[in-house]
Amino acid sequence: MRNWLFKAIAALTLLLSLTGCGYNDFQRLDEGTKSAWSEVVNQYQRRADLIDNLVNTVKGEAKFEQDTLNQVIQARAKATSIQVTPETLNNPEAFKQFQAAQGELSGALSRLLVSVERYPDLKANKAFSDLRVALEGTENRIAVARDRYIKAVQEYNVLARSFPTNLTGMIFGYKPKENFTVANEAQISNAPKVDFGTSPSAPASR
């Protein structure tokens, strides 16, 4: 009887100590980062789907430069080939690869949309115009989702690095998570512009 009572008291003491050392906060914030990350991935996937439709529409313009189109196709394939899971958040190398691939796709998409200025028929295509508007909305959603993720990770990392909750983190394997770096954040937060005026590079009318 005494042995059982001793174990019960020890378990209760451990539970109270974990609560006071941030164990429950780790659970809450860890789930928060995963949820925020899922939304980031969801919006990037939405963009990839829209780009696929955009590429098919552009292919209808027989004279459109293939190099620019191929860059988008290849960048999209690379970005979508990277498997992202909740574990990606704890893998710095995988996280950086994901960021780099999405940044490369953003750049290729921007170049594609700029080059469209040379093709009046394509610019006037309603399907293409609708896709550009949808892309603009998606880029805004990506920016919002990414901002929420950054804030969720910051809150989690403060807990993971602060004393005494960092001791709880070490015991249970809750390490600081990767966040968007300054360089990559600056790169991929430049949403492709989808409403251009006359491009300076467009050939002059004759």
Side-chain angles (χ1 to χ4, degrees):
M1 182 68 177
R2 287 184 178 179
N3 189 42
W4 178 86
L5 182 60
F6 175 77
K7 289 181 179 179
I9 293 174
L12 181 60
T13 301
L14 176 62
L15 179 61
L16 291 174
S17 66
L18 289 176
T19 302
C21 289
Y23 180 79
N24 289 339
D25 289 332
F26 271 114
Q27 305 304 308
R28 175 176 59 84
L29 296 181
D30 187 48
E31 288 302 316
T33 59
K34 290 177 181 178
S35 176
W37 177 247
S38 294
E39 184 59 20
V40 171
V41 173
N42 179 55
Q43 294 305 330
Y44 274 131
Q45 182 58 54
R46 185 174 188 272
R47 180 175 73 167
D49 294 340
L50 286 170
I51 290 175
D52 193 35
N53 293 332
L54 188 76
V55 166
N56 289 332
T57 302
V58 172
K59 284 180 179 178
E61 177 61 53
K63 297 180 180 179
F64 193 85
E65 53 256 40
Q66 288 301 307
D67 286 346
T68 303
L69 190 58
N70 287 337
Q71 286 175 6
V72 174
I73 294 172
Q74 292 169 7
R76 180 191 181 280
K78 182 178 180 180
T80 56
S81 68
I82 298 177
Q83 299 298 316
V84 287
T85 66
E87 286 68 37
T88 304
L89 306 183
N90 302 317
N91 186 331
E93 188 59 34
F95 191 86
K96 289 176 182 177
Q97 288 178 356
F98 177 78
Q99 290 184 85
Q102 293 297 337
E104 184 178 330
L105 180 54
S106 291
L109 180 58
S110 293
R111 291 189 292 274
L112 172 67
L113 293 174
V114 167
S115 63
V116 166
E117 295 301 310
R118 305 185 185 97
Y119 301 88
D121 291 344
L122 186 55
K123 285 177 61 178
N125 185 308
K126 186 177 186 303
F128 184 83
S129 177
D130 289 345
L131 284 168
R132 293 205 306 181
V133 171
L135 274 170
E136 182 178 43
T138 300
E139 292 293 343
N140 290 334
R141 291 187 184 96
I142 288 173
V144 171
R146 192 170 54 237
D147 183 60
R148 289 175 178 170
Y149 172 75
I150 289 171
K151 292 177 180 177
V153 170
Q154 286 176 340
E155 187 177 3
Y156 171 92
N157 284 349
V158 167
L159 184 71
R161 292 189 171 107
S162 299
F163 182 84
T165 51
N166 63 331
L167 301 178
T168 303
M170 286 189 288
I171 292 172
F172 291 95
Y174 288 107
K175 300 178 181 179
K177 297 181 184 293
E178 284 294 310
N179 212 334
F180 289 107
T181 61
V182 175
N184 276 314
E185 177 64 8
Q187 179 186 37
I188 65 180
S189 62
N190 290 328
K193 296 180 181 179
V194 296
D195 187 15
F196 294 94
T198 302
S199 172
S201 59
S205 302
R206 294 182 180 178

